[in-house]
Amino acid sequence: RHTIFILIISFESALPGLCFQYSGSSLLTGRTATEKHRFQCSRHFCASNPAMNIEMSQEPLLLRAVRGESVERCPVWMMRQAGRHMQAYRDLVKKYPSFRERSEIANVSTEISLQPWRAYGVDGCILFSDILTPLPGMGVEFDIDEKIGPKLKPMRSIESISTMFVNKDWSKSTPFVKQSLGEIRRTVGNSATVLGFVGLPFTLATYLVEGGTSNEYMEIKKLIYAQPQTLHKMLEILAVNIGNYAIFQIDSGAQVIQVFDSWAGSLSPEDYDVFALPYQQMVVDAIKRAHPETPVIIYIAKSGHLLERMVRSGADVVSLDWTVSIAEARQRLGSEVGAAHLVQSDRCRQ
């Protein structure tokens, strides 16, 4: 199996017209020769070399790439495709002012998910949702303040997590996810790959323990050292639920699952091995038992010091952030796992 390089572009500012040029290694050949393709994207189209066009009868390009198949060009999609950079999204915000409305009303979530695909012709169509969306389905309530982000009642004791439970039927607690993914899949057909996503246990635990977003993750690190068994219990409940929730997304129409352990990059390698990696493996193992053919992509922010460990999660593709170059990833990961390269635009350059 050879290394896959996929360009993921993330941006949030208003861009009336886009033109991206990337250099990707000669895919799935094991060679280092580069191949350049220019994508000219506007509000209504995304055109590449016509010779590279995919026949609509084939499976989607991105899906074939992450499976390790030879592909005619490098797939392109944006990790944060839907959002403030699009006027159509900002118009919907006026009608549906809360994030949970936009992500938990099925037809609204579907429309937002499809907006970038219609506008740019990207190769992936991502469910518009949040990593916290499944929390109420396991006994944890939350809200999202439009200015400061998620707000939760902190859970820092064994008693506080006693209200958590394993969800037996995600179709009852998140029916909007099933409806949205099904409609997205029917709409895009084979022109794009439908991606679902979940937050991994350690990252979700940071929100539960901190009570929201954090810069230093002091409270969860205190729990690591003072009450490790309490944290392990929380992580285990999260892992079982998230594995089943990811399976539910695949059953509902997702063709690829991206798993986010965004804040695991705040851990030392030693703590990562204890409090993040085993629970990543629980989630990925559950997905692979139910759907061995479904590719899994793992992403961790600021993960340069954890790259080799990320492979041990069992994911098929490792997302690289700005801390690791493609060349370094090739050298460190070898050819046994795919690599997706995330290019984040610098707002100061815009």
Side-chain angles (χ1 to χ4, degrees), residues 217-235:
Y217 309 102
M218 294 297 293
E219 296 300 330
I220 195 166
K221 288 183 179 180
K222 289 178 185 177
L223 206 62
I224 284 175
Y225 298 118
Q227 301 182 63
Q229 293 310 311
T230 296
L231 182 55
H232 279 300
K233 181 63 175 177
M234 178 186 290
L235 291 167

Side-chain angles (χ1 to χ4, degrees), residues 83-271:
R84 297 187 298 271
H85 67 278
M86 299 193 71
Q87 181 63 50
Y89 177 83
R90 297 198 296 273
D91 291 341
L92 276 176
V93 170
K94 297 174 184 177
K95 187 174 181 181
Y96 304 97
S98 77
F99 184 91
R100 290 195 65 177
E101 283 182 295
R102 298 191 293 276
S103 60
E104 296 181 18
I105 298 175
N107 64 312
V108 179
S109 172
T110 300
E111 172 58 25
I112 295 172
S113 302
L114 292 170
Q115 284 174 353
W117 171 74
R118 293 191 184 115
Y120 309 130
V122 284
D123 295 307
C125 191
I126 307 167
L127 173 69
F128 183 77
S129 186
D130 192 86
I131 62 171
L132 303 184
T133 295
L135 290 183
M138 58 183 92
V140 180
E141 293 300 324
F142 76 98
D143 194 12
I144 297 181
D145 186 286
E146 294 295 306
K147 293 183 179 179
I148 66 174
K151 298 170 62 177
L152 303 87
K153 182 179 179 180
M155 305 172 71
R156 299 170 186 168
S157 67
I158 194 69
E159 293 78 19
S160 66
I161 65 174
S162 63
T163 57
M164 296 179 69
F165 56 86
V166 174
N167 191 319
K168 299 297 185 181
D169 189 354
W170 286 101
S171 65
K172 291 182 178 178
S173 54
T174 55
F176 47 88
V177 169
K178 180 180 180 68
Q179 185 178 336
S180 293
L181 282 168
E183 184 59 32
I184 294 166
R185 182 75 176 272
R186 286 188 292 272
T187 301
V188 303
N190 284 339
S191 66
T193 298
V194 177
L195 293 95
F197 70 91
V198 297
L200 286 169
F202 179 80
T203 290
L204 291 177
T206 66
Y207 288 100
L208 271 59
V209 175
E210 302 287 340
T213 56
S214 175
N215 292 323
E216 301 295 333
Y217 309 102
M218 294 297 293
E219 296 300 330
I220 195 166
K221 288 183 179 180
K222 289 178 185 177
L223 206 62
I224 284 175
Y225 298 118
Q227 301 182 63
Q229 293 310 311
T230 296
L231 182 55
H232 279 300
K233 181 63 175 177
M234 178 186 290
L235 291 167
E236 183 178 351
I237 296 171
L238 288 167
V240 174
N241 276 306
I242 293 305
N244 291 335
Y245 180 57
I247 293 167
F248 169 69
Q249 289 190 24
I250 297 167
D251 291 339
S252 300
Q255 296 165 289
V256 174
I257 293 290
Q258 182 145 11
V259 295
F260 288 87
D261 219 349
S262 306
W263 311 139
S266 66
L267 294 170
S268 68
E270 293 77 14
D271 286 338

Side-chain angles (χ1 to χ4, degrees), residues 54 76 78 82 86-87 121 140 158 197 212 215 226 274 297 318 347:
I54 303 171
V76 178
M78 293 168 277
M86 299 193 71
Q87 181 63 50
V140 180
I158 194 69
F197 70 91
N215 292 323
V274 176
I297 304 171
V318 171
R347 294 181 182 183

